[in-house]
Amino acid sequence: RRDVLVLTPWLAPIVWEGTFSRDILNAQYLQKNLVTGVVTFAVEKYWLFIEGFMSSANKYFLAGHPVNFYLFTDSPEKISHLEMAPENQLFVIPVQKEPRWQDTSRSRMDIISSYIQRQFQHEVDFLFSVDIDVQLLAHVGVEIIDTLVATISSWQVPPQQEGQRAKSKASEGHPESQAGILEGQGDFYYTASFYGGSVAEVYELTRACSAGMLEDTENGFEPPWHHESHLNRYLLQHKPTRLLSPEYYWDTEL
């Protein structure tokens, strides 16, 4: 494709539809006997999205390859039976509801890093965090697999529609915040709704973001985009080895 950017300045591929052969990648992936994990959170009213997300992810996410879905929720009793593909497994993990949604956002990184250390590292090779309020509409295959994977925000693409929002999200104003990114410093703006990589890399990312959020809280800072702000700061300093185009997480408002 010549209509889009397919390589970053640090030579990481940017994956768009039409830039890869899924058949070749599937054959390579099958030879490695890998298991991929997906972490998602359904807290408070978000339990309503569980069935829609799980049915679409079970059908389209790495179809034909083993996937462990780790569903963190404060309402496990509300989950009806979910039919899973033979190669997939669903693990429902109870979590407590936080007082504020900002605290829920902050605690995600801490929960993921803790569970990687105690459980996930022994069960999966790659791990992705995906928001629960998502409907997968087409195949998301092994073209997403790499050491450290980030997804470019769909709001970065059409600046004519909401340029100020995209611009403001690309930098965090307070230089003393652990999420601080000065104007003009960022490479891309990444969404926290879909990121991942090898278990070891996701552990380092979530641990660093969790520590940064804790330090900000102790110093009285709360970045406007919470854990997404910290994710962007981490990925500025630790370049992703693969980027997913906004096609992979498109905002229907656009």
Side-chain angles (χ1 to χ4, degrees):
R1 287 183 60 169
R2 300 183 182 275
D3 59 324
V4 290
L5 185 67
V6 296
L7 204 64
T8 69
W10 60 94
L11 306 183
I14 305 175
V15 182
W16 298 81
E17 190 65 38
T19 62
F20 57 89
S21 168
R22 187 165 283 138
D23 290 341
I24 293 173
L25 294 175
N26 276 333
Q28 293 174 342
Y29 187 85
L30 281 169
Q31 292 174 1
K32 298 175 183 178
N33 295 316
L34 299 170
V35 179
T36 298
V38 173
V39 172
T40 191
F41 289 79
V43 180
E44 296 187 1
K45 63 182 180 181
Y46 282 85
W47 70 268
L48 293 166
F49 293 103
I50 291 174
E51 188 171 352
F53 171 79
M54 287 306 309
S55 61
S56 65
N58 182 56
K59 180 179 180 180
Y60 288 124
F61 192 89
L62 269 64
H65 303 291
V67 179
N68 287 359
F69 291 95
Y70 301 104
L71 170 59
F72 290 90
T73 180
D74 60 345
S75 305
E77 73 284 352
K78 294 181 180 178
I79 299 175
S80 57
H81 175 69
L82 299 169
E83 192 71 37
M84 303 297 293
E87 65 274 13
N88 293 342
Q89 294 189 74
L90 172 62
F91 300 89
V92 177
I93 305 172
V95 289
Q96 289 188 332
K97 181 171 64 176
E98 298 285 349
R100 304 181 310 149
W101 71 263
Q102 293 94 334
D103 298 324
T104 301
S105 169
R106 187 183 66 202
S107 67
R108 282 188 184 192
M109 295 289 193
D110 185 49
I111 291 171
I112 294 172
S113 63
S114 297
Y115 270 85
I116 287 174
Q117 197 169 33
R118 77 170 76 161
Q119 179 180 346
F120 299 161
Q121 65 170 324
H122 307 297
E123 298 177 349
V124 298
D125 303 285
F126 292 90
L127 188 67
F128 286 83
S129 175
V130 187
D131 277 0
I132 194 76
D133 56 344
V134 168
Q135 287 279 334
L136 277 71
L137 303 177
H139 288 286
V140 175
V142 298
E143 75 278 356
I144 70 171
I145 298 295
D146 214 319
T147 306
L148 184 58
V149 182
T151 304
I152 301 172
S153 170
S154 52
W155 285 99
Q156 180 163 312
V157 178
Q160 71 280 6
Q161 294 194 13
E162 197 169 334
Q164 288 306 308
R165 174 174 170 179
K167 183 179 178 183
S168 67
K169 290 182 76 170
S171 59
E172 299 298 343
H174 208 298
E176 293 181 29
S177 166
Q178 295 302 303
I181 298 177
L182 298 178
E183 186 101 27
Q185 265 193 345
D187 303 307
F188 298 89
Y189 188 81
Y190 306 109
T191 176
S193 299
F194 188 5
Y195 66 90
S198 71
V199 172
E201 284 293 334
V202 176
Y203 175 70
E204 293 298 331
L205 181 155
T206 52
R207 189 177 67 163
C209 290
S210 180
M213 285 185 278
L214 180 61
E215 188 169 338
D216 268 6
T217 300
E218 291 173 348
N219 292 326
F221 299 131
E222 190 166 84
W225 303 102
H226 306 284
H227 69 297
E228 188 168 87
S229 300
H230 287 271
L231 174 81
N232 273 271
R233 173 59 184 267
Y234 182 88
L235 293 172
L236 176 62
Q237 297 172 316
H238 306 81
K239 305 297 188 190
T241 58
R242 179 171 302 243
L243 278 66
L244 304 182
S245 76
E247 295 169 323
Y248 284 85
Y249 197 87
W250 191 254
D251 191 329
T252 52
E253 287 183 39
L254 297 171

